[in-house]
Structure formats: structure tokens, C-alpha cells
């Protein structure tokens, strides 16, 4: 599934109305399938325009990405963090253009993404300090 967004134009995927299904799968499917959907959404926000990222956010991609921050799979946590990072960067650019808050950051905080990501970072730092 990630290759859908890597191999095709993000806009073509949006126009084909595939995004709502990907977001639904990312939030509710069996874990292996959720991982694939997360890769696809992260690829879309990584290479998407501001308008495309806004569309993905409006479709609800932030809550399922935040939920993936708590799984016991370091690779998929990194994928979710990468996706959220790109969303936050796009939100920062929009806030600079419009002279307001980063609304994407607010959305992430509302679903506890910021709290969870700080928790994960502190846990990783603690593990790295432990003797082998």
C-alpha cells in the first residue's frame, strides 16, 4: 500500500478518494495493515504540497498517527513520528503565512500526541543511558 503514494502523484490518490479508506484502515484494521496505511499517509505528507497536507489533516490523519506512537514496534513509531513531523512543519509554514497558531500542533496536542511523543523520547533516552 505505501507504494500507491510513492509511485503515483499524491494528488491522483486524493482525486481517486483513497485517502479516507487509508485513514480508516490506519485507525481500525489489523496491525500489519495499519502499518502499511501509516507508511502510505507518511509518504503522502512527506512529499505533499501544503494544500495536500491540509486535505489529509482535514480527512483526520492526525489521530491515527498519534495512536501509533504507543505501539510496541519501533519502526512504525518512527514512521508515525516522521508523518507528524512533516505535518507540524507544514502547519508552522501556514502559521507564518497567516500570522497565527500552528493549528496542526494544536490538533496533535488535542489527541495527546505531544504528551505521548515526549513520553517516548524520555523513555528512549532512559534506555540509552542504561548499561548494556
Amino acid at each position: 500500500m505505501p507504494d500507491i503514494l510513492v509511485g503515483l502523484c499524491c494528488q491522483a490518490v486524493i482525486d481517486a478518494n483513497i485517502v479516507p479508506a487509508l485513514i480508516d484502515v490506519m485507525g481500525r484494521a489489523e496491525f500489519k495493515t495499519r502499518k502499511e496505511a501509516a507508511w502510505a499517509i507518511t509518504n503522502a505528507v512527506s512529499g505533499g504540497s501544503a494544500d495536500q497536507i491540509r486535505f489529509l489533516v482535514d480527512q483526520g490523519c492526525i489521530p491515527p498517527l498519534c495512536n501509533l506512537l504507543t505501539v510496541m514496534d519501533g519502526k512504525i513509531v518512527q514512521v508515525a513520528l516522521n508523518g507528524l513531523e512533516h505535518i507540524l512543519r507544514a502547519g508552522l509554514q501556514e502559521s507564518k503565512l497567516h500570522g497565527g497558531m500552528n493549528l496542526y500542533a494544536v490538533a496533535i496536542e488535542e489527541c495527546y500526541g505531544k504528551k505521548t511523543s515526549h513520553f517516548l523520547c524520555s523513555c528512549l533516552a532512559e534506555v540509552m543511558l542504561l548499561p548494556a
Side-chain angles (χ1 to χ4, degrees), residues 31 68-69 71-81 120 124:
F31 183 67
L68 288 171
L69 296 176
V71 301
M72 300 305 283
D73 180 329
K75 182 85 167 172
I76 202 62
V77 169
Q78 185 62 48
V79 168
L81 285 171
L120 285 171
L124 288 172

Side-chain angles (χ1 to χ4, degrees), residues 2 5 18-19 22-23 26 36-46 56 61-62 65 83 87:
L5 294 174
I18 296 171
V19 172
L22 284 172
I23 291 171
M26 188 171 52
E36 295 299 321
W39 272 104
I41 294 297
T42 295
N43 287 336
V45 298
S46 297
L56 292 164
C61 72
I62 289 177
L65 281 173
I87 291 169

Side-chain angles (χ1 to χ4, degrees), residues 20-107:
L22 284 172
I23 291 171
D24 184 56
V25 164
M26 188 171 52
R28 301 191 306 160
E30 180 263 329
F31 183 67
K32 185 175 179 180
T33 309
R34 289 174 63 203
K35 287 175 24 174
E36 295 299 321
W39 272 104
I41 294 297
T42 295
N43 287 336
V45 298
S46 297
S49 68
D51 288 339
Q52 291 165 336
I53 293 171
R54 186 178 317 107
F55 176 82
L56 292 164
V57 170
D58 289 345
Q59 292 294 302
C61 72
I62 289 177
L65 281 173
C66 289
N67 289 340
L68 288 171
L69 296 176
T70 61
V71 301
M72 300 305 283
D73 180 329
K75 182 85 167 172
I76 202 62
V77 169
Q78 185 62 48
V79 168
L81 285 171
N82 286 341
L84 291 169
E85 177 187 2
H86 286 285
I87 291 169
L88 286 170
R89 288 180 189 272
L92 180 61
Q93 292 303 316
E94 280 198 19
S95 70
K96 288 179 181 178
L97 289 174
H98 303 296
M101 294 179 62
N102 183 338
L103 297 178
Y104 301 158
V106 172

